[in-house]
Amino acid sequence: GVRAQSTSVALPRSIRHAETMAGLIARSASRRAFGAPMGTRACAGWAQKAMPLKSPHEETEMFIQGRSNPVYPSPWNRWFPYEPVSSTPKMGPYQVQCSAKEVYHFCTCGESKTQPWCEAPGSKCAKVPEFAPRMYQPQHDGLKLMCGCKKAPDSFCNGTCAILYADIFPVATSAICFGGCFVFGVFSTWMMHP
């Protein structure tokens, strides 16, 4: 057979890239407008089918089928997507009264109904098997601040929820920091002026 010669003119590379990018943006916008479902994350064996995002901060939040609490991947999870991501039942610490005579099992998956404790302690979490409850026995009786965002390296709240909040709401965090610095600057200038 005879091959037909192409009569199209070769476009410069920058124009081809611009047209390709415009097509990708239009396709993404139409999928989002019509609520097309997202696919599965094939890079990790633990990943489950993701559902469409329905949140004002949808760039940072994932909805995973079977989970009742939101899932916020940290920068670590974005760089290393093979690790499971815990749910975030609360953006802040849980204040719980603990007894030194009891052994507690801290929920690490974030899906337990009896937060911050695991409802079915064992070697693996009953709801999300990629996680295991963390045993905790306090040294003293009293009020404890336990991690609610499930991103702290230990069972105790260490302020990681503030970093998570800044990651999810960067504009609000910037406004809060600017306002605090402005008020401090005005106050310190007023106190220190001659």
Side-chain angles (χ1 to χ4, degrees), residues 67-126:
R67 300 234 189 148
S68 59
N69 293 319
V71 178
Y72 301 109
S74 67
W76 175 270
N77 298 124
R78 290 186 201 126
W79 298 330
F80 300 99
Y82 301 102
E83 294 185 7
V85 182
S86 59
S87 299
T88 301
K90 183 178 179 184
M91 191 76 70
Y94 286 101
Q95 297 180 9
V96 292
Q97 193 70 32
C98 295
S99 170
K101 297 175 185 170
E102 274 192 67
V103 175
Y104 300 93
H105 296 278
F106 180 75
C107 171
T108 56
C109 72
E111 289 296 318
S112 174
K113 300 289 183 206
T114 58
Q115 288 294 334
W117 313 121
C118 186
E119 59 191 47
S123 61
K124 287 188 173 185
C125 176

Side-chain angles (χ1 to χ4, degrees), residues 2-86:
V2 178
R3 284 182 146 183
Q5 290 270 343
S6 174
T7 57
S8 65
V9 177
L11 296 172
R13 186 177 194 167
S14 61
I15 294 175
R16 284 185 305 195
H17 287 303
E19 287 176 350
T20 303
M21 190 56 130
L24 288 173
I25 291 170
R27 183 172 47 179
S28 173
S30 67
R31 279 187 171 180
R32 188 169 282 205
F34 293 112
M38 297 170 58
T40 58
R41 290 186 57 185
C43 62
W46 58 266
Q48 300 166 358
K49 185 169 173 127
M51 297 177 70
L53 298 169
K54 302 171 186 164
S55 169
H57 38 82
E58 57 188 35
E59 296 300 322
T60 55
E61 184 177 349
M62 295 187 322
F63 286 89
I64 297 179
Q65 190 173 5
R67 300 234 189 148
S68 59
N69 293 319
V71 178
Y72 301 109
S74 67
W76 175 270
N77 298 124
R78 290 186 201 126
W79 298 330
F80 300 99
Y82 301 102
E83 294 185 7
V85 182
S86 59

